[in-house]
Amino acid sequence: MRVRCLAAGALALGLGFAFVPARAQTFVTVLTGGTSGVYYPLGVALSKIFAEKVPNIRPTVQATKASVENLNLLQQGRGEVAFTLGDSLALAWVGDEEAGFRTKLAKLRGMSAIYPNYIQIVAAKDSGIRTLADLKGKRLSVGAPKSGTELNARTILHAAGMSYKDLGRVEYLPFNESVELMKNRQLDATLQSAGLGVSSLKDLATSIDIAVVEIPAAVVEKIGAPYVKAMVPANTYTGQTDAVPTAAVINYLVTRADLKDDLVYQMTKAIFENLPELQAAHSAARDIKLEDALQGVPIPVHPGAERYFKEKGVTKDKGVTQ
């Protein structure tokens, strides 16, 4: 009888536990870019941080064609966090069809400004290309079609009084494929919008002699915000002995309006409390600074992210106030 009672008690206890619902996990897809760019390794690091620091979520990383595709996927509910260039984000918010946005992407919400993308035009040294004007009649890869990089390419050429019609041939290729064609002498130059020291251009510079092409300050000033004047420091790439003027555009992390405030708060907090892990993934993350987190965000900031920045005394206009 005692054994039966114990068995019955154990069964009842087991059944009781069986009916305790497991806490549901929230799936978080981080939308990045090509695997040879900067977005992807940072996205992988971000996913690991979220998995370790944010309770009850299951993060995954998705390689994409970057900014434009990422923003459209977010709008469709097919991602929760995305990397994007600032100019692409501004065009998505107004619904610029030419840029790849058929309607206003009203579900987008800002999480944080991160680091600047440097628009880097790199030519084979023996191509004779040293200036933007020298690109006329030459073979140039401008990034994947309708990508943030490709938008940058059109903007820079237009400000310099040029268009794709002035080029000898235009290729719409991701970073790695562009580099492979340059190694095989099938392209003269590649335009890549990425953090400094992007792996694709490092690979190119160790394979052939290169020249980093100047984007003059006058061209950048003609475009205006969100483009800013910048420099590619000397020795960023093998054989590049001089600093070269260029343009830069701020990158952002973006989410969706329908994500719960607490989830976005926890993810934003995890980012800024674990910056060394992001910096270990790519040196571009060294430019991610809390005081710049709300710099120039061209869309509404998610309330969850706002809550974190308010706690830290960060404001849109003044940076850290406490």
Side-chain angles (χ1 to χ4, degrees), residues 23-30 46-47 49-60 81 263 266-267 270:
R23 189 148 186 191
Q25 286 193 315
T26 300
F27 289 88
V28 173
T29 298
V30 180
L46 207 57
S47 176
I49 290 169
F50 289 164
E52 293 172 2
K53 306 296 182 181
V54 181
N56 301 309
I57 71 167
R58 184 178 293 180
T60 57
V81 177
L263 173 59
Q266 293 291 345
M267 291 193 295

Side-chain angles (χ1 to χ4, degrees), residues 7 36 52 92 123 127 133 142 168 176 188 192 209 217 234 241 273 275 278 311 321:
S36 61
E52 293 172 2
S127 69
V142 294
N176 269 354
D188 299 305
Q192 302 196 6
D209 291 334
T241 55
E273 291 186 353
L275 288 178
L278 289 174
E311 287 180 359
T321 58

